[in-house]
Amino acid sequence: MQHGPVVRRRKLGAELRALRTSAGITSGEAAGLVGWHQSKISRIETGTSGAKPSDVRLLLDAYGVDDEQLRGLLVTLARSEDAAGRNHWWHAYRGVLPPTYRDFISLESQASAMRTLETTVVPGLLQTPEYARAVTRAAVDGMPTERLDTLVEVRLARQDVLRGEPPLELSAVLDEAVLRREVGGPGVMARQLARLVEAARLPHVRLQVLPFSAGAHIGVTGPFVIFSFSSTSDLDVVVLDHLTSSLHLERKEDLEAYTEAFNALLIHALSPEDSLDFIAATAAGA
């Protein structure tokens, strides 16, 4: 399984290598043009190490690349890698969070929009502290209290993206099972459903319920997340979570397939207004 930042680093390196080759410049000549050692060029092109936006601009100038759209894309790729490597808040939890989870948080923090299908639990960005604790405890049996507290703390810190300027645009399709599965007991579930009702009223949050009456649907294959970025759709990525790892899909055909799947789910799901009523009614009966 490949991590998001690693995929982007390799993509950036491959693009820079192709541009250098098209310009008829050897790696040694490129190093001389920008005043670096040849090994740095090699590390960037193979994705072994990342490149700063300023590094990318320097190389593009050396290769005579003046296509503003292409330059913008490659600088954005470098900025994504640079942002993932800077000392963001989640780096304080390096000893607790696995790399795949840190990569997910990095993508989440940089994305402008997130589309997600959830088939079992409430999306992490909308969980209450009590619900988050119950889900985390169930996921890892016998977890020490201190570690559990830390993971819940991280889960709640992630929710700041919904309060940013601008906030993350969240569109979530929730299988009815998410609302019916009693997590943490009746009281915890009632408060969690109330939180969903509150979130559904936010202008940048769109919740739609996929009722049991919809029958079999394309989402039965499992949950997924699609991250989109304001700069360009070329950076969009699909994330599939597994028990011990995550898979990042960035090929155009994969993105198209999952986008079509999500759009199909929206058609079968209740409208946002009816979904709000459905959640509220479920909460009243919880």
Side-chain angles (χ1 to χ4, degrees), residues 187-206:
V188 171
M189 199 62 204
R191 287 185 287 275
Q192 177 60 73
L193 292 175
R195 168 71 180 118
L196 287 179
V197 170
E198 176 186 324
R201 295 194 173 107
L202 296 174
H204 53 283
V205 175
R206 178 188 178 99

Side-chain angles (χ1 to χ4, degrees), residues 46 68 138 178 184 190 201 214 224 233 238 260:
T46 58
E68 289 302 323
V178 172
R201 295 194 173 107
F224 59 86
S233 62
V238 175
E260 290 176 5

Side-chain angles (χ1 to χ4, degrees), residues 154-166:
V154 169
R155 181 70 54 88
L156 300 180
R158 284 174 46 203
Q159 298 177 2
D160 282 346
V161 295
L162 295 177
R163 296 183 284 268
E165 287 295 338

